[in-house]
Amino acid sequence: MLRKLTHGIKYLLERDAPGRSLFIYVDDVFIVSYPKSGNTWVRFLIANLLHSEDPVTFLNIEQIVPDPDLQSRRFLKHCRHPRVMKSHHPFDPRYKRVVCLVRDPRDVAVSQYHFQIKRGVLQTGHPVEDFVRDFVAGTVSPYGSWGQNVGSWLIARHKTPDFVLLRYEDLMRDAVEGLAQVASLLNIPADRSRLEKAVQFSSADRMRAMEKEQAGQWASTRETRKDIPFIRAAQSGEWKVTLSPNAAALIERAWGGLMRVLGYLSEPAPADAHQTILDLLGIASR
Amino acid sequence: MMYGIKVVLGYLLGTDIADRNLAVYPDDTFIVSYPRSGNTWTRFLLANLLFPGAPVTFANIERLIPDTSSQSNRALKRTPRPRFIKSHQYFDPRYPRVLYVVRDPRDLVLSYYDFQRKYRQIADDYPLATYVDDFVEGRLISADWGTWGENVASWISTRQHRTDFLLVRYEDMKKDTERELQRIAAFLHLKTDSDRLRQAIAASSPERMREFEQAQSRQWVATKKHRRDIPFVGPAQSGRWHSELPDSLVAKIESTWGSLMSSLGYPLQTLHTNPPADSGMAQLQPLRNS
C-alpha cells in the first residue's frame, strides 16, 4: 500500500515514468529496437542530427532522445515537438512514426550476454549456450523474444509510410545513408555535411571516450560493473567466433524465416525451422 | 488536477480499469480477439463449459470471465484462479496462454458499424464507405488496439506454433460448434464429453443470448448505458458481407489485408492474384541477401 501511495503521489506531481501509459501525440517519433541492437548508437546519431550545435553526451542523451520508461511524465509533457523517443516495446499500434532498428539476432545474443554479465545478472563464465537457450525462449525479457519483438513490428508496419527499417549492419557500412532516411522521416533538411558531422560525433571511439568519463552518471551504466564497457566491440559478425555452432543453430531454428527476410540467412532456413506467418504470407520465400 | 486526483484515487482503491495495466498471473488464460469477432459468444460457450452449475447470463459473465477493458484491477484480482479473461489487446508478451478468435474482416466491419451506432459513437446515417475507410486506416474507437490486421498479425506472428496459443475462426465455430469447442477444451485440458459440449452450446445459442440480452441489458456493463433498439447480439451469421457490403468496399478491405486474409482461409473476391500488388501490409520482400 505504501508503494502504491508513493506511486500515486509521484503521479500527481507527474514525477513517475509513464512507460506504456505515456500520452502519445500523433507527431511523436519512436526509435524502436530489441535491447542490444545498437539502439544507443542510433540514439546518438539522431540526437546529433537534431542538435547539431553541441555534441551529444551520455549526460544529455536522456533529455534529447528520452525513454518513456525512464523519464518523468512532467519532463515528457514539456519536451519540444516533435518528440523523438527510444523504446524497446514490441508492436504498439499507437506509435505512428517509427524508426525500427534491427540487428542479426546471433550478434544481439552475444551483446546481451556480455551486458548481463556487466549488470551482474549473470556470473562471469556463465555458459553461453545456456544463455542462448533462454534468449530463444524469450523468458528473460519483458519485451518478448527477439523474434516476437522484431516480427511484430515488421508484420504490422513494414512497407507502410512513416516506418523506417534500419539494419545495424548497413549502418556500420554506411551510417550517412541510413541517417538520411531518418532525417526524411523527421522532415529535417539534412545536407551531407550535417549528416557526416552527426556520424562523426557518434563514432565508437568518441562514445568510448565519453563512457569512460560519464559511465558513473548515466542511468544505464551507473549501477553496473565498470571493468566491462557498455560500448563494446561495435562490430557485426562477432557471433561467428563467440557462439558455438550449436548455439547459432538454436537461433536459426527459432527464427530462420524472419532472419531470411532480413537478409541474415542467405541459405534456406533449416528444414526444421518453424514456419512463421511471414512464410505463410509468401513473403519470405521470394 | 482534479482529473489527476481521480486517477490516483482509482489507482489506490483498485477501481481503475485494468486494460494494459492488468497484473498477469502465470496460470491466466486470455480469450483475445478484435472487437465484434464473436468474443462474447466464445466467452458464453467457455463459461458454460467451465461452470456448468448455473446458467451463464449477461448478469454473471463479468464475474466468470471478466473483461480487461471494463473491469477494475481489484475485480480482476478477486477473480478465482486460474482466471479466464477476455481481452481485445494487441500482442502482449506477458499473456501466458491465449485463445485467439478471428473473424472475416468483411463481416466484422458490418457488425462493428451496427455496434458503433448502438453506442452512438457514429450517427445513424454515417456513410458505410467512410466507415470502411476509418476501419482500414485505424481511425475507429478501437484504434488503441490497432487495426484489424495489426491486431491479428501481431498475435499470430509472435505466437503461432506454440502450445500455449490456439487460433479459432468464428466461421468454423458457426459451421461446427461442437468440433471447435472440443478443440478449445482440449487446448485448455478440460475434461469433457459430448453431452457437456452440447449442453454448453445449447446454453449459448444466439436465441438464448438474445433472450438474456432483452432481460438483462441494463445489468451488463457493455450494454447498460446504450440504446436498446440496436441489439448487442447481432445476426450471428457469417457471410453477411456478400449481400450487404458493396464491391468497392470489399475491394478496399481486400487490398489492405489480402495476403493476411487468404492465409487465414478467407478467399478473396475482388483480387485474383495473391498476395495483392498494392497491399500496404505484410508485403515483406527479402530485403537483400547478405
Side-chain angles (χ1 to χ4, degrees), chain B residues 106-145:
Chain B
R106 294 164 296 196
D107 277 337
L108 189 152
V109 73
L110 290 169
S111 174
Y112 215 158
Y113 179 73
D114 293 340
F115 176 84
Q116 288 211 268
R117 287 190 297 127
K118 174 178 174 65
Y119 270 49
R120 293 198 197 282
Q121 288 160 344
I122 55 169
D124 271 346
D125 58 356
Y126 196 83
L128 184 60
T130 317
Y131 191 78
V132 170
D133 272 347
D134 295 344
F135 178 60
V136 297
E137 309 262 331
R139 285 193 300 262
L140 296 188
I141 192 83
S142 57
D144 280 0
W145 295 318

Side-chain angles (χ1 to χ4, degrees), chain A:
Chain A
M1 189 63 192
L2 193 63
R3 189 184 54 84
K4 283 191 107 177
L5 200 61
T6 321
H7 188 185
I9 292 168
K10 272 192 167 171
Y11 177 89
L12 276 183
L13 301 173
E14 299 184 335
R15 297 289 180 183
D16 61 323
R20 275 259 178 212
S21 61
L22 171 74
F23 186 87
I24 294 171
Y25 299 92
V26 283
D27 62 344
D28 283 343
V29 176
F30 290 88
I31 309 167
V32 303
S33 71
Y34 201 62
K36 306 314 280 180
S37 298
N39 193 298
T40 304
W41 180 36
V42 171
R43 263 170 112 185
F44 268 72
L45 284 170
I46 294 174
N48 273 314
L49 185 70
L50 292 167
H51 283 241
S52 42
E53 312 83 50
D54 40 13
V56 176
T57 68
F58 286 104
L59 306 183
N60 61 17
I61 185 69
E62 296 296 343
Q63 276 78 50
I64 303 172
V65 181
D67 177 353
D69 285 353
L70 218 62
Q71 290 300 315
S72 73
R73 202 179 289 271
R74 176 202 294 256
F75 175 84
L76 291 161
K77 198 158 110 183
H78 298 292
C79 276
R80 190 152 37 127
H81 280 243
R83 301 184 297 186
V84 181
M85 288 169 282
K86 162 242 168 141
S87 165
H88 289 313
H89 290 293
F91 171 64
D92 188 325
R94 301 167 309 155
Y95 295 7
K96 296 301 179 200
R97 299 166 75 201
V98 172
V99 177
C100 178
L101 173 68
V102 298
R103 185 181 186 182
D104 189 322
R106 293 164 296 194
D107 280 336
V108 173
V110 172
S111 182
Q112 283 203 356
Y113 173 77
H114 289 290
F115 188 55
Q116 297 297 46
I117 290 175
K118 175 172 171 61
R119 288 175 62 204
V121 174
L122 298 181
Q123 300 294 316
T124 309
H126 183 87
V128 179
E129 211 168 305
D130 289 1
F131 173 78
V132 169
R133 228 172 281 279
D134 292 339
F135 178 76
V136 167
T139 44
V140 285
S141 170
Y143 307 113
S145 71
W146 178 86
Q148 292 178 338
N149 193 296
V150 172
S152 70
W153 278 110
L154 285 185
I155 197 78
R157 291 289 173 79
H158 188 42
K159 297 275 166 86
T160 60
D162 294 333
F163 183 81
V164 172
L165 179 66
L166 296 178
R167 299 196 323 160
Y168 176 82
E169 294 76 10
D170 294 337
L171 286 173
M172 289 292 291
R173 216 171 300 140
D174 186 356
V176 169
E177 201 247 309
L179 199 52
Q181 290 180 51
V182 177
S184 116
L185 178 75
L186 292 169
N187 298 320
I188 298 177
D191 49 276
R192 196 155 177 101
S193 70
R194 187 170 167 183
L195 295 172
E196 276 168 0
K197 205 168 115 187
V199 172
Q200 197 190 329
F201 277 164
S202 316
S203 74
D205 291 340
R206 274 191 70 120
M207 287 179 69
R208 276 191 200 103
M210 288 188 281
E211 185 192 342
K212 272 208 178 103
E213 288 171 24
Q214 302 156 357
Q217 295 162 74
W218 186 42
S220 297
T221 47
R222 205 161 37 213
E223 280 150 26
T224 62
R225 286 170 58 167
K226 300 290 179 293
D227 57 330
I228 303 171
F230 180 85
I231 309 293
R232 232 173 26 84
Q235 276 170 10
S236 55
E238 207 190 349
W239 64 272
K240 288 172 196 159
V241 288
T242 312
L243 294 188
S244 65
N246 212 3
L250 282 174
I251 296 175
E252 288 154 17
R253 207 156 41 232
W255 301 312
L258 185 52
M259 289 171 71
R260 234 151 58 86
V261 169
L262 291 168
Y264 294 135
L265 277 184
S266 44
E267 65 275 24
D272 53 347
H274 285 304
Q275 190 190 32
T276 67
I277 191 171
L278 305 171
D279 297 302
L280 276 182
L281 298 177
I283 42 202
S285 53
R286 278 177 290 139

